[in-house]
Amino acid sequence: AAFAQTAETGTPVAFADLVALLERIFLRHGTSERVAAILAENCASCERDGSTSHGVFRIPGYVGSLKSGWVDGRAEPTVEEAGPAFLRVDAANGFTQPAFLAARDRFLEMVRDNGVAVMAIRNSHHFSALWPDVEPFAREGLVALSFVNSFACVVPPGGKAAVYGTNPMAFATPVAGGDPMVFDQAASSMANGDVRIAAREGHAIPAGSGVDRDGKPTTDPRAVLDGGALLPFGGHKGGSIAFMIEVLAAALTGGKYSREVDWSAHPGAETPCTGQLFIVIDPERGGTGAFADRVAGLIGNVKEAGQDRMPGERRYARRVRTLRDGIPLAPARLAELRALAGD
Ligand code: NDP
Ligand code: PYC
């Protein structure tokens, strides 16, 4: 589970009101109306679902990147067809989600026509969770995989220098009679956002998560952030996944490797400018005629075997609660957001 505890107490804010507040913040800091609307919906959705490490906690970082001139909040992406089932997208140093959405309709046509398609996005700032990118594909009957690299803060197993980003990947599949099964996980022991939340709240991080600046194991989140690094999850196996994600999200797309991200001339910037790859498959092309039923059956087997829940189920349950009762925000956090919006 996420290391950071999901807030369950605070001032309840309706989802639409949170979207409107975040939209005002983005607009006030120089994005276009379209970009503001997309990022506000995305970030509020993370907060709604309890993806705390990529919810409103991230707003000062978005603002820092915009104010420092590191990211272009008005970028116009370009979309290029590299083949019948391959889209190349240049986000033009803008945020990833608006570039992705600019290409999404054509991408869906390619998936329907060919059974599978790839979208390779570069020069793009992804500062969010990945599940909002893939879950909608599964709701449209498709299987989706996505990969993003970030900024160097993860050492390879046995290594001394950070080479990899926290590099998340997400997978979404339709499930007959239910919500899609979606997992969305970093290739590191923890997301960098959770380390920062632990540092802010004064909690230790689990043993085996990271090393200090001398490469020694530490449970102090400040030591990880101050010259130290995270470890991949699961030793060399997570290291290989982190490597694969650098290859797919950066080498293949033309985006920067995590270790090439250099924001030193932009104090306050926090959004890594790298790349993202999507692979989306129409499972009906498998010819079984019963794909989503078979996935539902597998989930039944997994639960009968003792796993108490599938990935995504915590988010869906929280989504139902917060859409009904409001999204709880700490009063100080709400005041900070209102100040950023100029309210
Ligand atoms: P977590 O370890 O919190 O969760 C990973 C996945 O496992 C989720 O799908 C989660 O589902 C599921 N899960 C957690 N606990 C259980 C359980 N007990 N049983 C079954 N499934 C479980 O994620 P990470 O800390 O690795 O990553 C957090 C977020 O950070 C992700 O959304 C990721 O995209 C984002 N991130 C973004 C980066 C970027 O560059 N943009 C970089 C790194 C991370 P559920 O959500 O339902 O709990
Ligand atoms: O939480 O590791 C993280 C992260 C990096 C970039 C965006 N989120």
Side-chain angles (χ1 to χ4, degrees):
F3 176 76
Q5 293 300 302
T6 303
E8 292 297 347
T9 56
T11 310
V13 180
F15 178 69
D17 293 342
L18 183 58
V19 173
L21 173 59
L22 300 187
E23 210 169 327
R24 290 201 296 283
I25 295 174
F26 285 117
L27 279 175
R28 187 159 182 256
H29 292 89
T31 73
S32 66
E33 289 191 4
R34 177 174 177 275
V35 168
I38 291 168
L39 294 184
E41 171 97 21
N42 181 289
C43 185
S45 299
C46 288
E47 194 66 34
R48 177 198 67 201
D49 277 22
S51 296
T52 317
S53 63
H54 291 82
V56 298
F57 162 71
R58 292 286 174 175
I59 290 296
Y62 280 107
V63 167
S65 282
L66 286 160
K67 277 169 84 170
S68 70
W70 166 246
V71 64
D72 181 356
R74 315 184 76 85
E76 292 291 340
T78 54
V79 182
E80 181 190 357
E81 304 207 2
F86 201 125
L87 279 184
R88 282 201 288 250
V89 182
D90 184 346
N93 196 36
F95 292 104
T96 316
Q97 292 84 358
F100 162 58
L101 291 175
R104 196 177 186 280
D105 286 351
R106 178 66 190 121
F107 186 54
L108 272 177
E109 283 173 9
M110 287 179 158
V111 177
R112 298 288 183 205
D113 289 350
N114 298 288
V116 61
V118 170
M119 191 196 304
I121 308 177
R122 64 187 187 280
N123 297 331
S124 49
H125 296 242
H126 202 300
F127 203 47
S128 183
L130 264 65
W131 64 259
D133 304 342
V134 296
E135 184 188 314
F137 286 117
R139 293 195 183 278
E140 293 164 81
L142 302 169
V143 173
L145 286 153
S146 189
F147 312 88
V148 171
N149 65 316
S150 60
F151 66 98
C153 58
V154 177
V155 283
K160 294 188 181 62
V163 175
Y164 303 132
T166 42
N167 294 9
M169 67 175 169
F171 167 83
T173 178
V175 179
D179 285 314
M181 195 294 253
V182 179
F183 77 73
D184 172 17
Q185 61 192 43
S188 48
S189 56
M190 304 173 62
N192 178 267
D194 279 333
V195 183
R196 292 176 48 192
I197 289 172
R200 188 184 67 189
E201 296 180 353
H203 301 299
I205 58 172
S209 304
V211 293
D212 64 16
R213 58 171 56 244
D214 300 318
K216 297 213 177 66
T218 182
T219 58
D220 178 354
R222 287 160 308 179
V224 169
L225 297 172
D226 181 18
L230 285 166
L231 293 163
F233 77 87
H236 63 279
K237 298 186 185 184
S240 300
I241 302 252
F243 178 90
M244 175 190 77
I245 293 171
E246 294 288 336
V247 170
L248 294 177
L252 192 154
T253 65
K256 284 194 168 56
Y257 283 131
S258 298
R259 61 181 293 279
E260 293 172 329
V261 172
D262 179 6
W263 40 34
S264 54
H266 298 269
E270 291 192 22
T271 58
C273 182
T274 56
Q276 178 168 15
L277 190 87
F278 286 88
I279 303 169
V280 175
I281 304 166
D282 179 357
E284 290 311 320
R285 298 295 185 107
T288 68
F291 173 80
D293 292 312
R294 296 196 74 202
V295 178
L298 180 60
I299 289 174
N301 298 153
V302 169
K303 289 194 169 170
E304 276 161 32
Q307 181 164 327
D308 59 356
R309 73 159 174 105
M310 298 303 291
E313 289 180 2
R314 177 197 61 88
R315 284 193 303 102
Y316 297 142
R318 171 145 161 134
R319 187 181 300 177
V320 169
R321 277 199 313 282
T322 52
L323 287 176
R324 183 192 60 212
D325 301 336
I327 302 168
L329 288 183
R333 185 46 56 109
L334 192 52
E336 181 188 15
L337 294 175
R338 288 184 174 142
L340 284 171
D343 287 1

